[in-house]
Amino acid sequence: MTSKNDNKKLRETFEQSANIYQQARPDYPEELFDDLIHATNLNPGDHLLEVGCATGKATLPLAKRGFKITCVELGAELAAVARQNLVGMDVDIINGSFEDWQPEAEKGFDLVFAATAWKWVDPEVRYMKAWQALRPGGHLAFWNADHVFPEGGDPFFREIQTVYYEINEGKSVDNNDWPRPGELHVQSDEIEKSCMFEVVHIRHFDWERIYHVDEYIKLLETFSGHILMKEWKREKLFNEIRVLLNSRLEKSVRRHWGAVLHVARRKDL
């Protein structure tokens, strides 16, 4: 289990990839945003609070749909890039941690959401902070972009495990480390246990993206575990990836992504 200190160290690593994050990380499916809006009954002009916007991967699609968004982003470099990416949009970006941020009591948000960021927020305070920020009847939504492994998927990921094991960074053989589409962990119990929200909608999404060699290396350079690897490990891994992918006719890898959209309604306490 990851300790609080480890979690803090990991979530601070993303600053190092601020200049490549927007390009390297996958876009979320448009269908996910449509489903989110339908499940929360949002209307253009509603005020949203995003926890950990990074460079604006989820912010931009929602801003384009006419929502006013306030973002709380821990990383100063990430926040700076997000401001550039969101020029002209009705978006306000605050540099700081969600745990320390204080919502204005008179400004209840219609939605608090987090895209691949909720897991980095202190679990002891995140639901209370979200509850405090929301108007009565408002919603909380979060999802991650995770790696899933469908039947007939690219064999590259199991092939490259040999190298990961050599540098002592390999996946376990446990199936939990190799989830298929639709098998990602659902956090309904955690939400209900907070006693502050009731789950109203859960939906799995999966999509595919093709990465050429340099694109895939850039993607890995945005992952906290790879950022924190010792340099010799990272160099060996990336060199072996280049060799393996360049030996293919198409010089690319096919990666499947999965997300579980969680939507919960604020309870009146």
Side-chain angles (χ1 to χ4, degrees):
M1 183 176 289
T2 305
S3 71
K4 272 192 178 181
N5 286 338
D6 289 340
N7 194 67
K8 184 174 184 292
K9 185 178 180 181
L10 286 167
R11 78 177 192 171
E12 289 174 352
T13 61
F14 299 109
E15 278 286 80
Q16 299 177 42
S17 64
N19 63 325
I20 61 171
Y21 195 97
Q22 187 73 6
Q23 179 186 7
R25 284 295 181 109
D27 292 329
Y28 301 110
E30 288 294 315
E31 189 180 5
L32 185 152
F33 296 109
D34 293 339
D35 196 50
L36 168 63
I37 293 165
H38 178 74
T40 53
N41 297 310
L42 288 172
N43 295 295
D46 284 349
H47 198 175
L48 283 48
L49 173 67
E50 182 175 10
V51 181
C53 67
T55 56
K57 294 296 293 190
T59 325
L60 186 58
L62 288 168
K64 285 181 175 178
R65 285 167 166 80
F67 298 107
K68 175 181 173 62
I69 306 175
T70 297
C71 304
V72 182
E73 170 51 51
L74 177 68
E77 292 296 326
L78 289 166
V81 174
R83 290 188 185 102
Q84 295 172 8
N85 292 337
L86 296 160
V87 168
M89 298 291 175
D90 194 358
V91 177
D92 180 32
I93 299 171
I94 299 166
N95 180 210
S97 72
F98 181 59
E99 292 90 339
D100 295 333
W101 173 77
Q102 294 299 320
E104 297 179 39
E106 71 278 9
K107 289 186 178 179
F109 291 89
D110 298 291
L111 172 71
V112 173
F113 74 98
T116 318
W118 193 243
K119 64 182 178 181
W120 300 113
V121 184
D122 187 343
E124 294 181 10
V125 302
R126 60 191 177 194
Y127 288 100
M128 176 58 78
K129 294 287 288 195
W131 188 92
Q132 291 171 341
L134 286 165
R135 63 165 174 77
H139 290 84
L140 166 68
F142 60 86
W143 65 92
N144 294 323
D146 291 314
H147 196 178
V148 291
F149 304 88
E151 288 290 337
D154 197 318
F156 164 83
F157 300 103
R158 292 191 183 270
E159 293 169 358
I160 200 64
Q161 280 303 299
T162 303
V163 181
Y164 277 97
Y165 283 124
E166 286 178 7
I167 61 175
N168 200 30
E169 299 284 351
K171 280 181 176 289
S172 75
V173 294
D174 191 302
N175 284 335
N176 289 336
D177 273 350
W178 301 89
R180 297 179 182 183
E183 292 182 348
L184 290 172
H185 177 58
V186 175
Q187 293 170 250
S188 300
D189 290 346
E190 177 190 296
I191 295 170
E192 297 284 1
K193 191 177 179 181
S194 74
C195 298
M196 299 175 196
F197 294 91
E198 59 177 335
V199 176
V200 296
H201 186 69
I202 300 286
R203 183 175 171 186
H204 290 259
F205 293 85
D206 64 273
W207 66 103
E208 177 187 302
R209 182 169 168 184
I210 305 295
Y211 293 89
H212 293 285
V213 181
D214 290 340
E215 291 173 328
Y216 186 64
I217 296 295
K218 271 194 168 56
L219 174 67
L220 295 183
E221 288 175 338
T222 70
F223 292 162
S224 55
H226 290 74
I227 293 170
L228 288 178
M229 274 185 189
K230 292 181 179 178
E231 188 174 350
W232 72 266
K233 288 186 176 185
R234 198 164 50 245
E235 285 185 0
K236 177 177 177 59
L237 174 63
F238 290 176
N239 284 338
E240 293 294 337
I241 287 172
R242 288 188 179 96
V243 169
L244 184 54
L245 293 185
N246 279 321
S247 69
R248 293 178 160 192
L249 184 63
E250 66 278 13
K251 302 188 187 305
S252 64
V253 59
R254 181 165 47 96
R255 182 178 173 120
H256 286 258
W257 292 92
V260 185
L261 173 62
H262 300 75
V263 181
R265 185 184 297 114
R266 181 189 191 269
K267 290 183 177 180
D268 292 331
L269 302 182

